[in-house]
Amino acid sequence: MSLEELLLSHERIASEISSRIKPLMYFDKYLKSGYYPFYKEGLDGYDMRIRQVVNQVLDSDYPAIDDVEPNTIRKAQKMMMLLSERPPQTPNISQLSRELELDRMQGIRMLRALERAGLLILLENESASLKKMSRPEKIYCENPNLICALVPSAERGTLRECFFCNQARALGSVNYSKQGDFLVNGKYLFEVGGQGKKFTQIKDVPDSFLAVDDLEVGYGNRIPLWCFGLLS
């Protein structure tokens, strides 16, 4: 469904689905092992297969899009691990680059390459989105299964935000906002959180919504997080 349809009718939609299945029973499993189609072959070795995909992308695809040395590939692997372990935040590119023994521009170019390779999401504000070498405001792994495969102890809040960002990007633009977590299509502002999440930060902002985890059926502008998996 479209984002607009979900925003207007999420209570009815969630109620109809929840009358037939219990989506929260499956949502946790999806976050850990539902994104890549090879889950259909069984979950034994699922995380290992994801790590193999990451290594294949870095070993084969990365050199195909950029002229890089083996040492650079190793640094890209380390960058993926460092970013997976850290909660989404405004990145300190200079510090990250020093940890990888890169200069600042090399660090940004590596981030952009990993984004093009489908391993990272670089979230920017609207004004910076046209600047190809600007610093991103937040960095996410491309999907929550990728985080869980690289960091089994990943924080729930990180998985929530990653899931929302991954799903919303299929509909159009997703940008960083100082007022909330995500600005979608330049209009709709979202905060993502658990059941205790309040409207405090965005209460006076038009077209603002909460995407709430552990909620089966929402009400008003509180929408169950799992419902964003219905978007297309």
Side-chain angles (χ1 to χ4, degrees), residues 96-133:
L96 179 63
S97 299
R98 284 195 300 272
E99 291 181 62
L100 298 169
E101 299 180 341
L102 302 167
D103 64 42
R104 189 175 186 279
M105 290 309 297
Q106 287 176 320
I108 292 178
R109 282 196 293 269
M110 185 174 289
L111 287 172
R112 298 291 171 188
L114 293 177
E115 181 184 41
R116 295 198 306 275
L119 296 178
L120 294 179
I121 297 173
L122 307 184
L123 203 66
E124 303 175 87
N125 61 43
E126 289 183 287
S127 61
S129 60
L130 298 178
K131 301 176 183 178
K132 293 184 179 179
M133 296 307 291

mmCIF file of all heavy atoms in Angstrom, residues 96-133:
data_model
loop_
_atom_site.group_PDB
_atom_site.id
_atom_site.type_symbol
_atom_site.label_atom_id
_atom_site.label_comp_id
_atom_site.label_asym_id
_atom_site.label_seq_id
_atom_site.Cartn_x
_atom_site.Cartn_y
_atom_site.Cartn_z
ATOM 1 N N LEU A 96 36.504 8.358 12.627
ATOM 2 C CA LEU A 96 36.344 7.075 11.947
ATOM 3 C C LEU A 96 37.476 6.846 10.951
ATOM 4 O O LEU A 96 38.022 5.743 10.857
ATOM 5 C CB LEU A 96 34.991 7.045 11.230
ATOM 6 C CG LEU A 96 34.654 5.784 10.436
ATOM 7 C CD1 LEU A 96 34.569 4.564 11.353
ATOM 8 C CD2 LEU A 96 33.342 5.961 9.674
ATOM 9 N N SER A 97 37.836 7.888 10.220
ATOM 10 C CA SER A 97 38.913 7.762 9.234
ATOM 11 C C SER A 97 40.248 7.474 9.909
ATOM 12 O O SER A 97 41.047 6.667 9.409
ATOM 13 C CB SER A 97 39.006 9.049 8.398
ATOM 14 O OG SER A 97 37.795 9.288 7.702
ATOM 15 N N ARG A 98 40.495 8.108 11.061
ATOM 16 C CA ARG A 98 41.743 7.839 11.781
ATOM 17 C C ARG A 98 41.808 6.384 12.241
ATOM 18 O O ARG A 98 42.866 5.746 12.173
ATOM 19 C CB ARG A 98 41.871 8.775 12.984
ATOM 20 C CG ARG A 98 42.272 10.198 12.632
ATOM 21 C CD ARG A 98 42.736 10.956 13.858
ATOM 22 N NE ARG A 98 41.704 11.056 14.889
ATOM 23 C CZ ARG A 98 40.802 12.042 14.943
ATOM 24 N NH1 ARG A 98 40.805 12.998 14.022
ATOM 25 N NH2 ARG A 98 39.909 12.077 15.905
ATOM 26 N N GLU A 99 40.677 5.853 12.704
ATOM 27 C CA GLU A 99 40.653 4.455 13.140
ATOM 28 C C GLU A 99 40.991 3.510 11.996
ATOM 29 O O GLU A 99 41.522 2.413 12.214
ATOM 30 C CB GLU A 99 39.277 4.107 13.706
ATOM 31 C CG GLU A 99 38.953 4.786 15.024
ATOM 32 C CD GLU A 99 37.595 4.376 15.542
ATOM 33 O OE1 GLU A 99 37.406 3.171 15.814
ATOM 34 O OE2 GLU A 99 36.719 5.244 15.679
ATOM 35 N N LEU A 100 40.660 3.925 10.786
ATOM 36 C CA LEU A 100 40.903 3.085 9.611
ATOM 37 C C LEU A 100 42.173 3.481 8.861
ATOM 38 O O LEU A 100 42.466 2.923 7.801
ATOM 39 C CB LEU A 100 39.699 3.177 8.660
ATOM 40 C CG LEU A 100 38.382 2.667 9.238
ATOM 41 C CD1 LEU A 100 37.220 3.043 8.331
ATOM 42 C CD2 LEU A 100 38.426 1.162 9.433
ATOM 43 N N GLU A 101 42.891 4.466 9.411
ATOM 44 C CA GLU A 101 44.116 4.977 8.790
ATOM 45 C C GLU A 101 43.843 5.493 7.381
ATOM 46 O O GLU A 101 44.529 5.163 6.416
ATOM 47 C CB GLU A 101 45.211 3.899 8.788
ATOM 48 C CG GLU A 101 45.607 3.447 10.188
ATOM 49 C CD GLU A 101 46.686 2.379 10.192
ATOM 50 O OE1 GLU A 101 46.882 1.726 9.135
ATOM 51 O OE2 GLU A 101 47.338 2.203 11.222
ATOM 52 N N LEU A 102 42.795 6.314 7.277
ATOM 53 C CA LEU A 102 42.418 6.990 6.040
ATOM 54 C C LEU A 102 42.375 8.487 6.296
ATOM 55 O O LEU A 102 42.215 8.923 7.441
ATOM 56 C CB LEU A 102 41.033 6.534 5.573
ATOM 57 C CG LEU A 102 40.808 5.039 5.319
ATOM 58 C CD1 LEU A 102 39.320 4.768 5.178
ATOM 59 C CD2 LEU A 102 41.551 4.590 4.057
ATOM 60 N N ASP A 103 42.497 9.278 5.231
ATOM 61 C CA ASP A 103 42.203 10.692 5.436
ATOM 62 C C ASP A 103 40.690 10.894 5.316
ATOM 63 O O ASP A 103 39.951 9.981 4.951
ATOM 64 C CB ASP A 103 42.980 11.597 4.468
ATOM 65 C CG ASP A 103 42.610 11.380 2.998
ATOM 66 O OD1 ASP A 103 41.404 11.235 2.708
ATOM 67 O OD2 ASP A 103 43.519 11.363 2.146
ATOM 68 N N ARG A 104 40.225 12.090 5.664
ATOM 69 C CA ARG A 104 38.781 12.322 5.770
ATOM 70 C C ARG A 104 38.061 12.058 4.444
ATOM 71 O O ARG A 104 37.006 11.434 4.417
ATOM 72 C CB ARG A 104 38.517 13.756 6.229
ATOM 73 C CG ARG A 104 37.059 14.033 6.573
ATOM 74 C CD ARG A 104 36.889 15.435 7.131
ATOM 75 N NE ARG A 104 35.526 15.646 7.595
ATOM 76 C CZ ARG A 104 34.510 15.957 6.819
ATOM 77 N NH1 ARG A 104 34.703 16.099 5.510
ATOM 78 N NH2 ARG A 104 33.300 16.134 7.313
ATOM 79 N N MET A 105 38.633 12.533 3.338
ATOM 80 C CA MET A 105 37.977 12.354 2.044
ATOM 81 C C MET A 105 37.983 10.888 1.623
ATOM 82 O O MET A 105 37.026 10.409 1.015
ATOM 83 C CB MET A 105 38.653 13.216 0.975
ATOM 84 C CG MET A 105 38.422 14.710 1.150
ATOM 85 S SD MET A 105 36.662 15.137 1.338
ATOM 86 C CE MET A 105 36.006 14.598 -0.239
ATOM 87 N N GLN A 106 39.031 10.157 1.962
ATOM 88 C CA GLN A 106 39.043 8.720 1.684
ATOM 89 C C GLN A 106 37.942 8.017 2.469
ATOM 90 O O GLN A 106 37.280 7.106 1.955
ATOM 91 C CB GLN A 106 40.401 8.123 2.039
ATOM 92 C CG GLN A 106 41.527 8.466 1.084
ATOM 93 C CD GLN A 106 42.862 7.921 1.568
ATOM 94 O OE1 GLN A 106 43.165 7.951 2.764
ATOM 95 N NE2 GLN A 106 43.661 7.416 0.636
ATOM 96 N N GLY A 107 37.737 8.460 3.721
ATOM 97 C CA GLY A 107 36.684 7.872 4.538
ATOM 98 C C GLY A 107 35.307 8.098 3.951
ATOM 99 O O GLY A 107 34.475 7.179 3.904
ATOM 100 N N ILE A 108 35.053 9.317 3.472
ATOM 101 C CA ILE A 108 33.758 9.624 2.869
ATOM 102 C C ILE A 108 33.571 8.843 1.576
ATOM 103 O O ILE A 108 32.485 8.309 1.314
ATOM 104 C CB ILE A 108 33.622 11.137 2.630
ATOM 105 C CG1 ILE A 108 33.529 11.869 3.969
ATOM 106 C CG2 ILE A 108 32.391 11.445 1.774
ATOM 107 C CD1 ILE A 108 33.448 13.375 3.850
ATOM 108 N N ARG A 109 34.629 8.734 0.766
ATOM 109 C CA ARG A 109 34.520 7.974 -0.484
ATOM 110 C C ARG A 109 34.220 6.501 -0.199
ATOM 111 O O ARG A 109 33.443 5.867 -0.917
ATOM 112 C CB ARG A 109 35.809 8.107 -1.300
ATOM 113 C CG ARG A 109 35.935 9.421 -2.047
ATOM 114 C CD ARG A 109 36.994 9.346 -3.127
ATOM 115 N NE ARG A 109 38.316 9.199 -2.547
ATOM 116 C CZ ARG A 109 39.115 10.219 -2.233
ATOM 117 N NH1 ARG A 109 38.690 11.467 -2.420
ATOM 118 N NH2 ARG A 109 40.312 10.015 -1.724
ATOM 119 N N MET A 110 34.816 5.965 0.862
ATOM 120 C CA MET A 110 34.546 4.572 1.211
ATOM 121 C C MET A 110 33.099 4.402 1.655
ATOM 122 O O MET A 110 32.430 3.433 1.275
ATOM 123 C CB MET A 110 35.505 4.104 2.310
ATOM 124 C CG MET A 110 35.369 2.630 2.645
ATOM 125 S SD MET A 110 36.624 2.041 3.815
ATOM 126 C CE MET A 110 38.086 2.079 2.767
ATOM 127 N N LEU A 111 32.585 5.348 2.444
ATOM 128 C CA LEU A 111 31.180 5.291 2.849
ATOM 129 C C LEU A 111 30.263 5.295 1.625
ATOM 130 O O LEU A 111 29.300 4.528 1.548
ATOM 131 C CB LEU A 111 30.838 6.473 3.752
ATOM 132 C CG LEU A 111 31.375 6.437 5.180
ATOM 133 C CD1 LEU A 111 31.113 7.774 5.870
ATOM 134 C CD2 LEU A 111 30.734 5.311 5.976
ATOM 135 N N ARG A 112 30.556 6.175 0.668
ATOM 136 C CA ARG A 112 29.727 6.267 -0.545
ATOM 137 C C ARG A 112 29.802 4.974 -1.354
ATOM 138 O O ARG A 112 28.798 4.535 -1.938
ATOM 139 C CB ARG A 112 30.175 7.449 -1.406
ATOM 140 C CG ARG A 112 30.052 8.805 -0.739
ATOM 141 C CD ARG A 112 28.622 9.208 -0.552
ATOM 142 N NE ARG A 112 28.505 10.403 0.276
ATOM 143 C CZ ARG A 112 27.370 10.895 0.734
ATOM 144 N NH1 ARG A 112 26.235 10.293 0.450
ATOM 145 N NH2 ARG A 112 27.346 11.980 1.489
ATOM 146 N N ALA A 113 30.977 4.368 -1.401
ATOM 147 C CA ALA A 113 31.120 3.107 -2.142
ATOM 148 C C ALA A 113 30.301 2.000 -1.474
ATOM 149 O O ALA A 113 29.635 1.205 -2.151
ATOM 150 C CB ALA A 113 32.592 2.713 -2.221
ATOM 151 N N LEU A 114 30.317 1.950 -0.141
ATOM 152 C CA LEU A 114 29.548 0.929 0.577
ATOM 153 C C LEU A 114 28.050 1.172 0.438
ATOM 154 O O LEU A 114 27.260 0.226 0.429
ATOM 155 C CB LEU A 114 29.958 0.913 2.047
ATOM 156 C CG LEU A 114 31.390 0.449 2.328
ATOM 157 C CD1 LEU A 114 31.709 0.553 3.814
ATOM 158 C CD2 LEU A 114 31.622 -0.968 1.835
ATOM 159 N N GLU A 115 27.657 2.427 0.297
ATOM 160 C CA GLU A 115 26.248 2.724 0.021
ATOM 161 C C GLU A 115 25.861 2.227 -1.364
ATOM 162 O O GLU A 115 24.815 1.581 -1.533
ATOM 163 C CB GLU A 115 25.983 4.216 0.143
ATOM 164 C CG GLU A 115 24.528 4.592 -0.104
ATOM 165 C CD GLU A 115 24.292 6.083 -0.087
ATOM 166 O OE1 GLU A 115 25.144 6.834 -0.636
ATOM 167 O OE2 GLU A 115 23.258 6.519 0.448
ATOM 168 N N ARG A 116 26.694 2.502 -2.363
ATOM 169 C CA ARG A 116 26.393 2.045 -3.720
ATOM 170 C C ARG A 116 26.372 0.524 -3.804
ATOM 171 O O ARG A 116 25.647 -0.050 -4.621
ATOM 172 C CB ARG A 116 27.420 2.606 -4.715
ATOM 173 C CG ARG A 116 27.399 4.114 -4.860
ATOM 174 C CD ARG A 116 28.098 4.576 -6.139
ATOM 175 N NE ARG A 116 29.437 4.072 -6.273
ATOM 176 C CZ ARG A 116 30.518 4.642 -5.737
ATOM 177 N NH1 ARG A 116 30.382 5.726 -4.986
ATOM 178 N NH2 ARG A 116 31.719 4.133 -5.932
ATOM 179 N N ALA A 117 27.151 -0.109 -2.956
ATOM 180 C CA ALA A 117 27.205 -1.576 -2.948
ATOM 181 C C ALA A 117 26.025 -2.195 -2.212
ATOM 182 O O ALA A 117 25.914 -3.418 -2.156
ATOM 183 C CB ALA A 117 28.511 -2.037 -2.313
ATOM 184 N N GLY A 118 25.137 -1.378 -1.644
ATOM 185 C CA GLY A 118 23.953 -1.891 -0.975
ATOM 186 C C GLY A 118 24.200 -2.398 0.432
ATOM 187 O O GLY A 118 23.409 -3.191 0.953
ATOM 188 N N LEU A 119 25.278 -1.938 1.075
ATOM 189 C CA LEU A 119 25.583 -2.377 2.430
ATOM 190 C C LEU A 119 25.252 -1.327 3.487
ATOM 191 O O LEU A 119 25.067 -1.670 4.657
ATOM 192 C CB LEU A 119 27.068 -2.753 2.543
ATOM 193 C CG LEU A 119 27.516 -3.948 1.692
ATOM 194 C CD1 LEU A 119 29.011 -4.181 1.855
ATOM 195 C CD2 LEU A 119 26.732 -5.201 2.054
ATOM 196 N N LEU A 120 25.199 -0.068 3.103
ATOM 197 C CA LEU A 120 24.930 1.016 4.047
ATOM 198 C C LEU A 120 23.825 1.927 3.526
ATOM 199 O O LEU A 120 23.580 2.007 2.319
ATOM 200 C CB LEU A 120 26.186 1.874 4.279
ATOM 201 C CG LEU A 120 27.378 1.239 4.980
ATOM 202 C CD1 LEU A 120 28.510 2.262 5.077
ATOM 203 C CD2 LEU A 120 27.015 0.715 6.358
ATOM 204 N N ILE A 121 23.172 2.607 4.455
ATOM 205 C CA ILE A 121 22.272 3.712 4.148
ATOM 206 C C ILE A 121 22.882 4.958 4.771
ATOM 207 O O ILE A 121 23.148 4.988 5.980
ATOM 208 C CB ILE A 121 20.866 3.489 4.732
ATOM 209 C CG1 ILE A 121 20.195 2.266 4.108
ATOM 210 C CG2 ILE A 121 19.992 4.728 4.522
ATOM 211 C CD1 ILE A 121 18.869 1.905 4.762
ATOM 212 N N LEU A 122 23.140 5.963 3.968
ATOM 213 C CA LEU A 122 23.672 7.230 4.465
ATOM 214 C C LEU A 122 22.539 8.241 4.487
ATOM 215 O O LEU A 122 22.020 8.624 3.442
ATOM 216 C CB LEU A 122 24.816 7.730 3.573
ATOM 217 C CG LEU A 122 25.965 6.739 3.320
ATOM 218 C CD1 LEU A 122 27.070 7.411 2.510
ATOM 219 C CD2 LEU A 122 26.516 6.177 4.619
ATOM 220 N N LEU A 123 22.154 8.638 5.670
ATOM 221 C CA LEU A 123 21.021 9.539 5.836
ATOM 222 C C LEU A 123 21.532 10.974 5.910
ATOM 223 O O LEU A 123 22.414 11.293 6.712
ATOM 224 C CB LEU A 123 20.260 9.185 7.114
ATOM 225 C CG LEU A 123 18.800 9.618 7.188
ATOM 226 C CD1 LEU A 123 17.975 8.864 6.143
ATOM 227 C CD2 LEU A 123 18.248 9.356 8.580
ATOM 228 N N GLU A 124 20.959 11.833 5.077
ATOM 229 C CA GLU A 124 21.403 13.220 5.016
ATOM 230 C C GLU A 124 20.222 14.152 5.235
ATOM 231 O O GLU A 124 19.065 13.762 5.090
ATOM 232 C CB GLU A 124 22.048 13.495 3.655
ATOM 233 C CG GLU A 124 23.208 12.559 3.372
ATOM 234 C CD GLU A 124 23.778 12.755 1.981
ATOM 235 O OE1 GLU A 124 24.652 13.623 1.837
ATOM 236 O OE2 GLU A 124 23.342 12.054 1.067
ATOM 237 N N ASN A 125 20.531 15.401 5.577
ATOM 238 C CA ASN A 125 19.460 16.378 5.605
ATOM 239 C C ASN A 125 19.173 16.840 4.183
ATOM 240 O O ASN A 125 19.933 16.565 3.261
ATOM 241 C CB ASN A 125 19.789 17.550 6.537
ATOM 242 C CG ASN A 125 21.042 18.310 6.119
ATOM 243 O OD1 ASN A 125 21.246 18.588 4.940
ATOM 244 N ND2 ASN A 125 21.889 18.649 7.078
ATOM 245 N N GLU A 126 18.069 17.535 3.995
ATOM 246 C CA GLU A 126 17.638 17.897 2.644
ATOM 247 C C GLU A 126 18.653 18.772 1.935
ATOM 248 O O GLU A 126 18.926 18.605 0.751
ATOM 249 C CB GLU A 126 16.290 18.598 2.707
ATOM 250 C CG GLU A 126 15.146 17.688 3.071
ATOM 251 C CD GLU A 126 13.825 18.415 3.049
ATOM 252 O OE1 GLU A 126 13.585 19.214 3.965
ATOM 253 O OE2 GLU A 126 13.036 18.175 2.110
ATOM 254 N N SER A 127 19.239 19.718 2.646
ATOM 255 C CA SER A 127 20.149 20.661 2.002
ATOM 256 C C SER A 127 21.438 19.997 1.556
ATOM 257 O O SER A 127 22.074 20.434 0.604
ATOM 258 C CB SER A 127 20.470 21.816 2.954
ATOM 259 O OG SER A 127 21.097 21.333 4.133
ATOM 260 N N ALA A 128 21.838 18.923 2.247
ATOM 261 C CA ALA A 128 23.095 18.256 1.903
ATOM 262 C C ALA A 128 22.918 17.146 0.892
ATOM 263 O O ALA A 128 23.891 16.617 0.380
ATOM 264 C CB ALA A 128 23.750 17.700 3.165
ATOM 265 N N SER A 129 21.676 16.769 0.576
ATOM 266 C CA SER A 129 21.445 15.575 -0.246
ATOM 267 C C SER A 129 21.991 15.729 -1.665
ATOM 268 O O SER A 129 22.211 14.736 -2.346
ATOM 269 C CB SER A 129 19.951 15.255 -0.295
ATOM 270 O OG SER A 129 19.226 16.335 -0.851
ATOM 271 N N LEU A 130 22.207 16.941 -2.113
ATOM 272 C CA LEU A 130 22.735 17.156 -3.460
ATOM 273 C C LEU A 130 24.257 17.231 -3.488
ATOM 274 O O LEU A 130 24.847 17.302 -4.551
ATOM 275 C CB LEU A 130 22.133 18.450 -4.047
ATOM 276 C CG LEU A 130 20.615 18.450 -4.205
ATOM 277 C CD1 LEU A 130 20.152 19.808 -4.753
ATOM 278 C CD2 LEU A 130 20.139 17.331 -5.098
ATOM 279 N N LYS A 131 24.888 17.225 -2.324
ATOM 280 C CA LYS A 131 26.337 17.312 -2.261
ATOM 281 C C LYS A 131 26.907 15.904 -2.119
ATOM 282 O O LYS A 131 26.814 15.294 -1.065
ATOM 283 C CB LYS A 131 26.766 18.179 -1.069
ATOM 284 C CG LYS A 131 26.216 19.600 -1.129
ATOM 285 C CD LYS A 131 26.597 20.379 0.127
ATOM 286 C CE LYS A 131 26.007 21.772 0.116
ATOM 287 N NZ LYS A 131 26.335 22.521 1.363
ATOM 288 N N LYS A 132 27.484 15.411 -3.175
ATOM 289 C CA LYS A 132 27.869 14.011 -3.221
ATOM 290 C C LYS A 132 28.909 13.647 -2.173
ATOM 291 O O LYS A 132 28.952 12.515 -1.712
ATOM 292 C CB LYS A 132 28.389 13.653 -4.620
ATOM 293 C CG LYS A 132 27.312 13.718 -5.695
ATOM 294 C CD LYS A 132 27.851 13.267 -7.029
ATOM 295 C CE LYS A 132 26.769 13.301 -8.099
ATOM 296 N NZ LYS A 132 27.284 12.875 -9.411
ATOM 297 N N MET A 133 29.767 14.585 -1.791
ATOM 298 C CA MET A 133 30.827 14.258 -0.850
ATOM 299 C C MET A 133 30.606 14.902 0.508
ATOM 300 O O MET A 133 31.542 15.114 1.267
ATOM 301 C CB MET A 133 32.182 14.674 -1.428
ATOM 302 C CG MET A 133 32.575 13.924 -2.693
ATOM 303 S SD MET A 133 32.500 12.119 -2.513
ATOM 304 C CE MET A 133 33.859 11.839 -1.393
#
